[in-house]
Structure formats: structure tokens, C-alpha cells
Amino acid sequence: VELLQVGAGNNQEDAALVVNNCAAFCGEASPIIVSCDGMIEALKLVSVYGTVGAKNVAVGALNCLSRSRIAAENLRNSRVVEDALVMVLQEEGSGEKHEAMLARATMALANLTSTSTEYVACFTESANYKNSLSTIVRILGYALDGKK
């Protein structure tokens, strides 16, 4: 958690990548990760205020964590949707990293809100959300074609 703090420099992106990979490749780790004191708050802050690379990886980590039912409940209770994902989706930018970040935020948002009408405004208020759906569809197409 210390390495995710704003001001940790290059270590911030590396720390977010460790969290991302643990959540992505070991689903059983997700509930443990979110139970670490300060972890969710640190990921939220990096997602909004980190460097471009750190933001991208932190949003990816939130997306991976959001796949776990137990972790998702913790993320919702910690206001990840309101305090991080909505802000990420409102961020202006361009380029592949930005598009990837928006796609990851959209997927996390879908994972965290799919069973609730409470978050409908998150989807309708952001033009970036609509653009990121296009990116997600493109990524899925590449996956089906075996491309990177």
C-alpha cells in the first residue's frame, strides 16, 4: 500500500501492476487484496491522480478486483464507482493508453453496477463511456482474430 501512495514515483506503477496481476491471475487473492488496510483507497487515488501509466494499471487492478463477488462488494462499499471510475470516465485524453484505461474503467463499472439501477447515471452522463464501449468491442474482435 505504501508504494501506491502519491509521490512514490515509478514504484507506484510497479506496485499497481503487482496488485493487478495478483487479482487477474489468482481470483482467490482478490478478497485478500481488498481487505488490506488502505488498499482500495490507494487504488482509487492512483486511478485519479497518478501518472498516466500508474492510472492505467490501477484502473486495470480495480477491473480485475471487480470480478470477484466478495471484492466487488468491498469496492462498492468503498465508493470506487463514485470516487474513481466515474472520474476516470470523465477524463479527457487520447491515445491507446487512454482508450485502454477507459475500457478497463467501463468494464469495472459494468462489473460493479450490473445488478443495480442505482448507478444508471454513471452510464448516461459520460461520452467517454460510449467511446470506451467501442474500444471494448474492438479488443474483443482482436481476441477472436488472435491479434494483439
Side-chain angles (χ1 to χ4, degrees), residues 24 77 83 111 114:
N77 291 340
D83 298 343
N111 291 339
S114 63

Side-chain angles (χ1 to χ4, degrees), residues 4 9 18 20 26 33 45 50 56 62-63 98 110 122 130:
L4 287 169
V18 169
N20 179 82
C26 181
I33 292 169
L45 289 171
N56 195 9
L62 290 172
N63 177 44
H98 184 74
C122 298
K130 294 172 186 162

Side-chain angles (χ1 to χ4, degrees), residues 57-133:
V57 178
V59 171
L62 290 172
N63 177 44
C64 291
L65 291 167
S66 73
R67 295 177 191 151
S68 160
R69 184 181 49 79
I70 296 168
E73 185 177 333
N74 284 301
L75 295 173
R76 279 190 294 274
N77 291 340
S78 298
R79 296 183 44 87
V80 165
V81 170
E82 301 89 335
D83 298 343
L85 298 176
V86 170
M87 294 182 74
V88 167
L89 286 170
Q90 292 173 345
E91 190 173 308
E92 296 297 323
S94 62
E96 285 185 4
K97 278 192 176 186
H98 184 74
E99 286 182 18
M101 182 179 68
L102 295 178
R104 289 177 178 124
T106 300
M107 290 186 288
L109 189 62
N111 291 339
L112 294 173
T113 64
S114 63
T115 59
S116 173
T117 58
E118 177 182 349
Y119 300 102
V120 171
C122 298
F123 296 103
T124 57
E125 292 176 0
S126 174
N128 280 336
Y129 167 77
K130 294 172 186 162
N131 294 336
S132 64
L133 286 178

